[in-house]
Amino acid sequence: MRRLLSLFCAALCTAGLTPVASPSARADVNPWFAQSVGNASQVISVVGVGGSDAKMDVYQRGVTGWQPVAAGIPTHVGSAGMAPKAKSGYPATPMGVFTLPYAFGTAPNPGGGLQYVQVGPDHWWDGDDHSPTFNTMQVCKKAQCPFDTNESENLQIPQYKHAVVMGVNTARTPGDGAAFFFHTTDGGPTAGCVAIDDAKLVQIIQWLRPGAVMAIAQ
């Protein structure tokens, strides 16, 4: 047990994330999301505190239960706050539990366990409800893209210095929203994404492994 806890602490410190409590302390065995995340062992918890502000806590599940890794990270969500589900054109962050399948950014790969795509001027997130590639990353010159770029996002922007894709509307249902990311903050509300300070985001990306989820509640 002692060796497992030592390895746990070493992994967190390597990523720059220091446990908020000693690993030998009693784990928080029943965080609010405990019954909603299945077998996930890494959870990023986002809880609204009013308007477009939220608080982020980071958890790892170990042999004794849930252990807090970082707590109280200032977080920005949608300018319309939070909503029960995503909706195209409505700037609210959807509530629920979402996969974190891969990361991307204009900056080079900071390392970590997720696939990472370094994006440039020809990388887009298709937000065209009528496109067969709706709610996916695409690479094309603006004039040659087979979808409406006015309804989509070019990914070469400062807020996407580092980002993690959130698995919102994975069924890609038209009208149910697109382009939801966990990304670098510009200091203000988002259009429905979740945003924090870039330095802390890099630490979290370095810590993340496949199977991690983000749990969002009001």
Side-chain angles (χ1 to χ4, degrees), residues 2-43:
R2 184 172 299 166
R3 175 168 173 74
L4 287 173
L5 293 173
S6 296
L7 291 172
F8 170 73
C9 185
L12 300 181
C13 293
T14 298
L17 292 170
T18 303
V20 298
S22 165
S24 61
R26 175 181 171 83
D28 181 357
V29 295
N30 193 34
W32 69 268
F33 55 75
Q35 303 305 312
S36 306
V37 297
N39 294 324
S41 60
Q42 293 182 318
V43 176

Side-chain angles (χ1 to χ4, degrees), residues 58-124:
V58 182
Y59 288 85
Q60 176 94 33
R61 176 154 45 187
V63 292
T64 61
W66 289 103
Q67 183 75 38
V69 175
I73 301 170
T75 304
H76 297 284
V77 294
S79 58
M82 294 183 175
K85 66 173 293 184
K87 180 181 178 183
S88 295
Y90 185 55
T93 298
M95 294 182 284
V97 177
F98 305 105
T99 58
L100 299 170
Y102 67 96
F104 70 91
T106 60
N109 186 355
L114 299 184
Q115 176 190 355
Y116 187 90
V117 179
Q118 186 170 2
V119 298
D122 296 335
H123 286 82
W124 297 82

Side-chain angles (χ1 to χ4, degrees), residues 125-148:
W125 198 271
D126 182 357
D128 179 357
D129 280 337
H130 304 290
S131 167
T133 56
F134 174 65
N135 200 27
T136 63
M137 183 185 290
Q138 299 295 312
V139 184
C140 54
K141 300 288 185 184
K142 183 175 182 179
Q144 300 170 354
C145 292
F147 49 85
D148 187 349

Side-chain angles (χ1 to χ4, degrees), residues 144-167:
Q144 300 170 354
C145 292
F147 49 85
D148 187 349
T149 57
N150 292 321
E151 298 295 327
S152 305
E153 279 198 67
N154 184 273
L155 300 180
Q156 193 183 41
I157 62 173
Q159 294 93 327
Y160 299 153
K161 182 177 181 180
H162 296 98
V164 182
V165 174
M166 295 166 55

